[in-house]
């Protein structure tokens, strides 16, 4: 029973962490390797907010605002010139991640920072005491997933974004301002990633490299998911589940590479991954 | 064109550089302090790695972070032998062999995973990310064997002084850089660039790009393992971060800053940045990393070819060789005899069908083509002409029925294997290699037949007489040293046709070879095709919309309509057919 809860909550955490990367990859076809840095930025937003004595929950909107503002600058200065060179975009965003990481180090120092728990204690589920916060992450994942569903299906921006995903040339010919769609998507993606960074703080320590640990896992999941949030949810459940099982029954070290290895194998067999393209 | 009248600055510079590095290797230990010797030995080992990253990324176009993993494996193999078995000369030799062999074998496996037929370029990068992560975790969980997180330290190493290691790594770096420099200028080195430019065209020239990239990955993994052996000896410590993904990204950063696609750039970039890092990181560790990171981002965006690219622009270029140094090479054309054509039939299509889901694109196609025939395939848009061409040239397409070339069923064969059976395909949009010269493109067409040299750069160009004739007819013979990117659309089409003919095929598939050409260019292509089939006995299948052109050159016309073969006859039969008129006027939708 605990295993089942572990599987679901692990998948939820992975989903929250990878969602911002997927939004950007889905629409822009750019792999944002600064993803880890945006997570770290979110973590330090939590540190800064609580450092000023504010309510820790306030870190969520702050992180989203800071993340999307930085994302906007990044899209214009770094990503925009590289749309035709996707491999170079990986490298440039990776370099940007280094810069952001070093700026954070210069500002906050190298030490591990601690933030107060957003939700503490355990809750009784089916006769088991389980971490309240991990269960809260399931809710967060549902909110993020449904939020994107509403955004994509129900708004004008979503319609434009879907048009850009399907056929960018045609979308532009139809008068959709693809540059604006890209900018907005990138900002939402980075904002969401910074927000995910805040949500991670109760689960990991905050240090300048905290995002790096999540980057590869998120990247592999997005490769498998393509541009679909549904596929990402499935991938998180399947591979997050596998990770939990391997960590519990085989070894935590092997568990750490389960997601990456399994995703690589899936992509070898079916290059499109789980996406129904 | 005037040949190299100016003394070539590049050659002189290069010679001076080699002499300077030799002097540096020999006398460096005399005036450098311990710190500098130590750091530079390490930097030179890293520079060897940067050269391998550059060959994969800058030349073959495969962005890889995985060299760190092969390096770590070589270093760990060495340290493990020396720690657990001992350090007698025999065991040192064993460590040396294992440090190269283990990465080499793993390189074959990784290459096979990365470059299977039909995998995307991004997938190789994905694998190269996963590999160091896996290797690092293995090192972490290896317990006593790998020393876990603290790594292995305190084992006996090669009996060399600090100066000895400096000289050894210097000589190894010089050897690796020189070998790479010679290789990228050789005919085989050009194949890498051709694969980077246009992998599909390589496959349809009979080159197995996957196998070439697998071989490259494996060999470079071996070289990387050698660097790992040197590192394990020179530093006396091997730790998990030597094999990690972050180290892999650093290698790419050094390569990019120095200048991808050159050999000297990554070498100097790596030594410079690593040495500066070591010197400055004491005082301003984070600021220095910040500066390197910012420079890297700026470089990728503004100067994708790095510092070496900038220097390359400033230095005068040696004519015709696009900055390679060496005298102008005027390709000499020699004629080799055409293969004798086999007994008929050349091509047999039996009940061919192809469908995408419930949509039948082709149905029940039966067709036999004899040597000497020029068969035109006509039909309205969407009739399935291009699909049919693809089914004839790529056996991995899932089809029903069968296609045989010279009696051999092509089912399951990749394009390069079908080229080997004697089928050449020309694409609708001219598919050539934009970074190469005309002569180099043509040499690529011969590369599957005559294995290109790994060290030698050909001055001659051996072509079958038919290909020579096309060159003369299209005046391409006077532009052999011109870069392909400077050719007009029509000339690119002619060049691709020449490349296909240079394969010495027995059956040529042409998809709208005259699209977008002028009247004169069409006439030239028509003359060539008639000659190839009429006089030399090749067969050709031609997809064409221009019915006047078809009428003029074809020996037979096949009409395709809604995926079915509705008419197969002489020019007269087809031109006078009521059915064809009905199809083209849009009437015959049954």
């Amino acid at each position: 029973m605990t295993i089942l809860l572990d599987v679901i909550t692990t998948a939820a955490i992975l989903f929250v962490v990878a969602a911002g990367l997927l939004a950007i990859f889905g629409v822009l076809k750019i792999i944002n390797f600064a993803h880890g840095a945006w997570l770290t930025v979110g973590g330090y937003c939590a540190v800064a907010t609580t450092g000023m004595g504010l309510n820790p929950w306030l870190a969520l909107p702050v992180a989203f605002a800071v993340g999307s503002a930085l994302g906007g600058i990044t899209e214009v200065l770094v990503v925009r010139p590289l749309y035709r060179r996707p491999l170079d975009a990986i490298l440039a965003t990776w370099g940007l991640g280094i810069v952001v990481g070093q700026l954070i180090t210069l500002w906050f120092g190298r030490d591990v920072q601690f933030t107060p728990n957003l939700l503490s204690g355990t809750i009784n589920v089916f006769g088991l005491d389980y971490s309240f916060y991990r269960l809260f992450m399931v809710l967060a994942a549902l909110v993020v997933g449904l939020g994107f569903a509403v955004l994509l299906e129900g708004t004008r921006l979503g319609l434009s974004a879907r048009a850009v995903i399907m056929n960018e040339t045609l979308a532009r010919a139809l008068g959709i301002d693809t540059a604006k769609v890209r900018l907005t998507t990138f900002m939402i993606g980075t904002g969401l990633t910074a927000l995910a960074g805040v949500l991670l703080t109760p689960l990991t320590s905050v240090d300048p490299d905290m995002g790096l640990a999540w980057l590869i896992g998120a990247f592999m999941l997005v490769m498998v998911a393509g541009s679909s949030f549904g596929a990402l949810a499935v991938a998180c459940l399947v591979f997050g589940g596998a990770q939990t099982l391997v960590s519990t029954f085989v070894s935590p070290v092997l568990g750490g590479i389960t997601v990456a290895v399994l995703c690589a194998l899936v992509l070898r067999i079916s290059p499109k991954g789980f996406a129904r393209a | 064109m005037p040949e190299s009248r100016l003394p070539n600055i590049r050659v002189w510079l290069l010679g001076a550089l080699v002499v300077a590095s030799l002097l540096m290797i020999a006398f460096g230990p005399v005036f450098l302090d311990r710190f500098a010797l130590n750091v530079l030995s390490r930097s030179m080992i890293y520079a060897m790695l940067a050269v391998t990253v550059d060959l994969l990324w800058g030349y073959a176009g495969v962005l890889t972070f995985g060299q760190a993993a092969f390096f770590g494996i070589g270093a760990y193999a060495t340290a493990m032998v020396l720690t657990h078995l001992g350090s007698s000369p025999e065991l040192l030799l064993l460590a040396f062999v294992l440090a190269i062999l283990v990465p080499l074998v793993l390189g074959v496996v990784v290459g096979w995973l990365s470059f299977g037929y039909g995998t995307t370029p991004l997938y190789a990068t994905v694998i190269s990310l996963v590999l160091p992560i896996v290797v690092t975790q293995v090192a972490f969980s290896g317990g006593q064997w790998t020393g876990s997180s603290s790594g292995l330290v305190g084992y006996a190493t090669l009996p060399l002084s600090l100066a000895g290691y400096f000289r050894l790594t210097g000589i190894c770096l010089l050897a690796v850089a020189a070998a790479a420099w010679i290789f990228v200028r050789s005919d085989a080195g050009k194949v890498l660039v051709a694969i980077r430019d246009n992998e599909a065209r390589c496959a349809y020239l009979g080159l197995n790009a996957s196998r070439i990239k697998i071989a490259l990955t494996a060999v470079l993994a071996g070289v990387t393992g050698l660097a790992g052996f040197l590192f394990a000896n020179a530093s006396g410590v091997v730790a998990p971060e030597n094999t990690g993904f972050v180290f892999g990204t650093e290698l790419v950063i050094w390569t990019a800053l120095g200048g991808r696609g050159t050999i000297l750039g990554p070498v100097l970039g790596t030594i410079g940045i690593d040495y500066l890092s070591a010197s400055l990181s004491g005082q301003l560790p984070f600021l220095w990393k910040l500066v390197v990171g910012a420079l890297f981002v700026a470089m990728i965006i503004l100067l994708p070819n790095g510092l070496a690219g900038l220097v390359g622009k400033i230095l005068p270029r040696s004519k015709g060789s696009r900055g390679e140094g060496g005298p102008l090479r005027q390709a000499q054309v020699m004629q080799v005899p055409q293969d004798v054509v086999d007994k008929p039939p050349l091509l047999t299509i039996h009940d061919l069908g192809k469908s995408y889901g419930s949509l039948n694109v082709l149905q029940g196609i039966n067709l036999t083509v004899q040597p000497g025939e020029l068969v035109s395939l006509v039909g309205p848009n969407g009739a399935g002409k291009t699909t049919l061409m693809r089914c004839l040239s790529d056996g991995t397409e899932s089809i029903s029925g069968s296609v045989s070339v010279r009696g051999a069923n092509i089912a399951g064969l990749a394009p390069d294997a079908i080229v080997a059976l004697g089928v050449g395909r020309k694409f609708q949009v001219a598919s050539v290699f934009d970074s190469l010269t005309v002569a180099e493109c043509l040499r690529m067409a011969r590369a599957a037949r005559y294995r290109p040299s790994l060290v030698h750069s050909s001055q001659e160009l051996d072509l079958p007489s038919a290909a020579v004739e096309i060159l003369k007819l299209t005046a391409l013979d006077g532009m052999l040293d011109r870069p392909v990117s400077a050719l007009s659309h029509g000339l690119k089409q002619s060049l691709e046709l020449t490349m296909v003919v240079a394969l010495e095929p027995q059956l040529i598939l042409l998809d709208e070879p005259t699209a977008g050409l002028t009247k004169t260019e069409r006439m030239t292509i028509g003359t060539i095709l008639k000659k190839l089939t009429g006089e030399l006995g090749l067969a050709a299948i031609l997809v064409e919309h221009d019915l006047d052109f078809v009428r003029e050159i074809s020996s037979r016309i096949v009409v395709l309509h809604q995926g079915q073969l509705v008419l197969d006859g002489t020019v007269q039969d087809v031109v006078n057919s009521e059915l064809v008129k009905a199809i083209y006027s849009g009437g015959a939708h049954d």
Side-chain angles (χ1 to χ4, degrees), chain B residues 7-94:
Chain B
N8 196 323
I9 284 194
R10 282 163 183 268
V11 174
W12 282 108
L13 275 180
L14 204 74
L17 200 75
V18 171
V19 173
S21 4
L22 280 172
L23 287 174
M24 186 71 191
I25 292 167
F27 298 108
V30 178
F31 59 88
L32 289 171
D33 59 17
R34 284 186 65 81
F35 173 80
L37 281 180
N38 237 326
V39 172
L40 281 176
S41 301
R42 185 187 71 185
S43 307
M44 289 193 291
I45 293 173
Y46 290 170
M48 290 165 67
L49 302 182
V51 170
T52 67
V53 169
D54 186 43
L55 285 176
L56 281 163
W57 177 40
Y59 288 91
V62 182
L63 176 59
T64 178
F65 303 103
Q67 292 308 96
F70 295 125
F71 173 71
I73 291 170
Y76 265 105
T78 309
M80 281 163 77
V81 168
L82 298 179
T83 305
H84 301 298
L85 299 179
S87 58
S88 65
E90 296 81 32
L91 287 171
L92 268 170
L93 184 67
L94 175 73

Side-chain angles (χ1 to χ4, degrees), chain A residues 88-254:
Chain A
D88 283 0
I90 297 182
L91 293 174
T93 48
W94 171 256
L96 182 73
I98 296 177
V99 171
V100 171
Q102 296 311 312
L103 286 175
I104 288 176
T105 310
L106 285 172
W107 192 270
F108 290 94
R110 273 212 74 78
D111 303 332
V112 174
Q113 311 262 353
F114 294 95
T115 53
N117 229 333
L118 290 171
L119 290 169
S120 55
T122 59
I123 189 172
N124 194 289
V125 197
F126 309 116
L128 277 169
D129 282 331
Y130 199 80
S131 157
F132 189 32
Y133 189 73
R134 285 184 71 96
L135 286 174
F136 167 73
M137 285 303 276
V138 178
L139 181 71
L142 287 175
V143 169
V144 167
L146 290 176
F148 266 106
V150 170
L151 198 64
L152 276 177
E153 302 293 330
T155 65
R156 180 143 194 96
L157 172 71
L159 186 66
S160 310
R162 276 186 292 153
V164 174
I165 292 174
M166 284 173 203
N167 187 337
E168 170 146 13
T169 324
L170 184 60
R172 199 179 306 128
L174 289 174
I176 293 174
D177 184 351
T178 53
K180 201 166 116 196
V181 172
R182 288 175 153 174
L183 178 64
T184 320
T185 313
F186 200 88
M187 288 176 68
I188 292 177
T190 50
L192 193 69
T193 307
L195 193 128
V198 177
L199 291 173
L200 280 178
T201 50
L203 301 167
T204 68
S205 55
V206 177
D207 65 70
D209 289 330
M210 72 173 265
L212 189 62
W214 298 90
L215 170 66
I216 302 299
F219 166 71
M220 298 302 289
L221 287 167
V222 168
M223 288 292 100
V224 170
S227 55
S228 144
F229 276 92
L232 180 66
V234 174
C236 288
L237 269 175
V238 172
F239 298 116
Q243 178 188 328
T244 313
L245 295 179
V246 172
S247 303
T248 315
F249 295 114
V250 188
S251 98
V253 175
L254 285 183

Side-chain angles (χ1 to χ4, degrees), chain B residues 386 426-430 489 493 496 511-513 515:
Chain B
T386 301
K426 194 200 156 309
F427 290 89
Q428 190 166 350
V429 180
H489 171 71
Q493 293 279 25
E496 194 193 5
D511 202 344
E512 295 194 39

Side-chain angles (χ1 to χ4, degrees), chain B residues 501-514:
Chain B
V501 170
L503 291 169
E504 298 179 50
Q506 311 208 348
L507 171 67
I508 305 184
L509 307 175
L510 303 122
D511 202 344
E512 295 194 39
T514 65

Side-chain angles (χ1 to χ4, degrees), chain B residues 189 275 290 300:
Chain B
Y275 185 75
L290 179 75
I300 290 284

Side-chain angles (χ1 to χ4, degrees), chain B residues 513-534:
Chain B
T514 65
L517 296 192
T518 63
K519 184 87 186 159
T520 340
E521 287 168 332
R522 271 170 210 234
M523 297 292 289
T524 316
I525 298 239
T527 317
I528 293 163
L529 289 179
K530 272 177 118 165
K531 192 169 165 111
L532 286 173
T533 52

Side-chain angles (χ1 to χ4, degrees), chain A residues 85 88 91 253 257 264 268, chain B residues 112-113 123 137 260 296 300:
Chain A
R85 296 188 270 147
D88 283 0
L91 293 174
V253 175
I257 55 175
R268 181 66 170 83
Chain B
W112 174 80
L113 264 176
Y123 185 69
Q137 291 302 324
R260 71 177 103 156
F296 175 63
I300 290 284

